[in-house]
Amino acid sequence: MRPLRYAINVTLDGCCHHEAGLAPDEESMHYWAEEVARADALLFGRVTYGMMESAWRRPITGTWPDWMREWEIPFAETIDRAQKYVVSSTLDGVDWNAELLRGDVGQAVQELKQEPGEGLFVGGVTLPLALADLGLIDEYVFLVQPIIAGHGPTLLSGLRERIQLELVDRHDFRSGAAALRYRPAPAA
């Protein structure tokens, strides 16, 4: 069974809005490119899919936009070519190497986890909350930013039950950020 990994940037006070933390730098983009590359497929909700597609889809011209820095291109190329699954009840269709998932999200994700492979990667806010509530997330990766946002959506806000985690890895960045990798703790 391939694991489902939830990964997101988060501030010290739990804000997970994509603009609340530090601006991406070469070190963090390299880290995220490696994380995405570890997955057989990416799993997004409608909003995250749209946001990621607007930023990281290779333009029709084949040339990355001028605003993209050289060190962002490996991440862009990794996410652009990745297989994606999009959970949505409102989209009529998707492209960008994507397949639309409808109906019972828990069942659909459980079926994806049963397929052979290295793992699935989920990002965003709303979909991961639903998957955490269903007990489907096998690993949590939080890139904790040394910032207190003081506002915005907070990580897994509304979770029905507490999830006890155990730290399995830590990576410190020159910026002061730290990537913390957790797995759900075995039941006592």
Side-chain angles (χ1 to χ4, degrees), residues 47-74:
V47 172
T48 301
Y49 171 77
M51 182 178 67
M52 298 304 258
E53 182 184 27
S54 69
W56 304 113
R57 184 177 189 155
R58 184 183 296 270
I60 300 238
T61 63
T63 304
W64 292 108
D66 291 339
W67 63 260
M68 193 176 290
R69 293 167 286 216
E70 190 67 30
W71 47 263
E72 291 176 302
I73 292 174

Side-chain angles (χ1 to χ4, degrees), residues 3 10 26 50 55-56 63 67 75 82 99 103 107 110 115 122 136 143 155 163 165 182 184:
V10 61
E26 189 169 353
W56 304 113
T63 304
W67 63 260
F75 176 81
E99 182 179 322
Q107 181 180 341
Q110 191 62 33
E115 294 177 10
V122 64
L136 292 174
L143 201 154
L155 184 65
I163 300 172
L165 302 173
Y182 294 94

Side-chain angles (χ1 to χ4, degrees), residues 26 29-37 56 58 64 68-82:
E26 189 169 353
M29 290 302 285
H30 177 75
Y31 178 83
W32 284 122
E34 287 183 345
E35 280 298 303
V36 171
W56 304 113
R58 184 183 296 270
W64 292 108
M68 193 176 290
R69 293 167 286 216
E70 190 67 30
W71 47 263
E72 291 176 302
I73 292 174
F75 176 81
E77 289 176 341
T78 301
I79 199 165
D80 182 63
R81 70 177 166 256

